[in-house]
């Protein structure tokens, strides 16, 4: 019995001397996207992969790319000269065109990059030069526990170049003013996002209230954006009738924040950047909402076209919105842009305000 106890104590002592297992790497590390859709010529970042409890730090790398048929290809690794921002535009510090241009560089870049730390896959403007559409990405990940080869980790689908994107909802709205200074929504025309069937009409100029049209290929690298606010008949409003949207002691973000040189004419305002995309800066929001840009018009800008409104929408009681001293309907325009322009050149963005006439 004594010998048995001695043997057991020896086994326990031996087991206690065995070092614990260090690290863990899961068999099910995977991409969170089955397919990454990438508009050609634009910067795109993938989601961070799911590591399923694997031990940090992890080290990632792309080990190869195949085409849709599984054939190895270097298409995404070939380098091309593209225009890039080396740092984000900041209207507080980049107060001249020269200061902003210092952040612009022409560099040779591949179409695909991978962060060795996070595993995010980035796509650059060089995708503009890639002919094939579908690719499968093979990657390797390793940590203190070991490494795993992950073939067909994610599929990449290159889409046509999107000169204009609609990341978030934009609105052209007439607001009706009450006696107490508050405003009600009179009528709103909106484009919800890029899947909105009316977004194509914005780009071909057939939408009744909003248009975004390229008018020149110059400047070849930079971008000029002419903003016109007009009544519902297309007559441009004088720019001194357009104001920033107040927000406490400041104001909401606007295109003036996104311009190194702003030219104000009687009926339009031209914003300039040394390179797209436009806009570059968001004062108040992040994510897709960073592309929201706001303005209002002064109450003296328009009269309400009551006849046209009632023809389209039925009879309306205007009494609570009518100024007793003038007999006119109190109103203002609510202007909310929600576009991202990825192409250089000169662009005209025009918003007509529903059921209005220039005073």
């Amino acid at each position: 019995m004594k010998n048995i106890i001695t043997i057991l104590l020896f086994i326990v002592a031996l087991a206690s001397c065995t070092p614990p297992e260090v690290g863990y790497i899961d068999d099910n590390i995977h991409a969170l996207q089955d397919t990454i859709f990438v508009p050609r010529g634009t910067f795109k970042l993938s989601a961070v992969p799911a590591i399923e409890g694997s031990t940090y730090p992890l080290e990632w790398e792309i080990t190869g790319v195949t085409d849709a048929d599984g054939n190895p290809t270097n298409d995404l690794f070939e380098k091309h000269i593209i225009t890039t921002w080396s740092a984000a535009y900041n209207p507080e510090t980049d107060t001249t065109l020269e200061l902003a241009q210092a952040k612009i560089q022409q560099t040779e870049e591949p179409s695909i990059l991978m962060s060795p730390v996070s595993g995010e896959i980035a796509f650059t403007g060089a995708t503009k030069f890639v002919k094939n559409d579908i690719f499968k990405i093979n990657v390797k990940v390793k940590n203190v526990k070991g490494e795993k080869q992950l073939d067909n980790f994610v599929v990449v689908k290159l889409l046509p170049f999107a000169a204009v994107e609609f990341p978030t909802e934009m609105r052209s709205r007439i607001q009706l003013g009450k006696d107490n200074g508050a405003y009600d929504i009179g009528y709103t025309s909106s484009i919800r996002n890029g899947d909105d069937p009316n977004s194509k009409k914005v780009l071909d100029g057939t939408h009744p209230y909003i248009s975004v049209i390229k008018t020149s290929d110059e400047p070849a690298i930079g971008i000029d954006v002419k903003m016109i606010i007009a009544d519902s008949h297309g007559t441009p409003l004088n720019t001194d009738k357009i104001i920033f949207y107040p927000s406490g002691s400041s104001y909401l973000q606007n295109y003036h924040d996104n311009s190194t040189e702003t030219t104000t004419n009687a009926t339009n305002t031209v914003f300039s950047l040394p390179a797209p995309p436009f806009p570059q800066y968001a004062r108040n929001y992040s994510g897709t909402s960073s592309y929201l840009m706001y303005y209002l018009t002064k109450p003296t800008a328009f009269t309400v076209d009551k006849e046209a409104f009632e023809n389209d929408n039925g009879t309306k009681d205007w009494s609570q919105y009518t100024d007793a001293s003038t007999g006119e309907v109190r109103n203002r325009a609510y202007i909310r842009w929600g576009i991202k322009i990825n192409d250089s050149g000169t662009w005209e963005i025009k918003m007509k305000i529903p059921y209005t006439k220039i005073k």
Side-chain angles (χ1 to χ4, degrees), residues 24 27 127 259 350:
Y24 171 72
D27 290 330
T127 53
S259 181
K350 186 174 183 178

Side-chain angles (χ1 to χ4, degrees), residues 156-230:
V156 174
K157 169 69 173 176
L158 296 186
L159 304 175
F161 175 59
V164 180
E165 296 179 64
F166 300 87
T168 188
E169 184 179 4
M170 62 177 166
R171 301 168 183 162
S172 173
R173 173 181 291 169
I174 179 69
Q175 294 181 323
L176 305 177
K178 296 182 176 181
D179 289 332
N180 61 5
Y183 282 87
D184 287 342
I185 296 173
Y187 182 88
T188 302
S189 177
S190 68
I191 299 295
R192 294 186 302 276
N193 51 46
D195 294 325
D196 190 314
N198 287 317
S199 63
K200 294 181 180 179
K201 296 180 179 180
V202 171
L203 299 177
D204 66 17
T206 60
H207 190 276
Y209 296 113
I210 304 171
S211 63
V212 179
I213 296 174
K214 187 174 184 178
T215 59
S216 172
D217 290 329
E218 295 295 330
I221 296 177
I223 182 169
D224 292 336
V225 179
K226 178 192 292 185
M227 182 179 74
I228 299 172
I229 306 300

Side-chain angles (χ1 to χ4, degrees), residues 21 37 107 123 174 222 231:
E21 188 171 337
F37 296 95
T107 60
F123 298 89
I174 179 69
D231 67 12

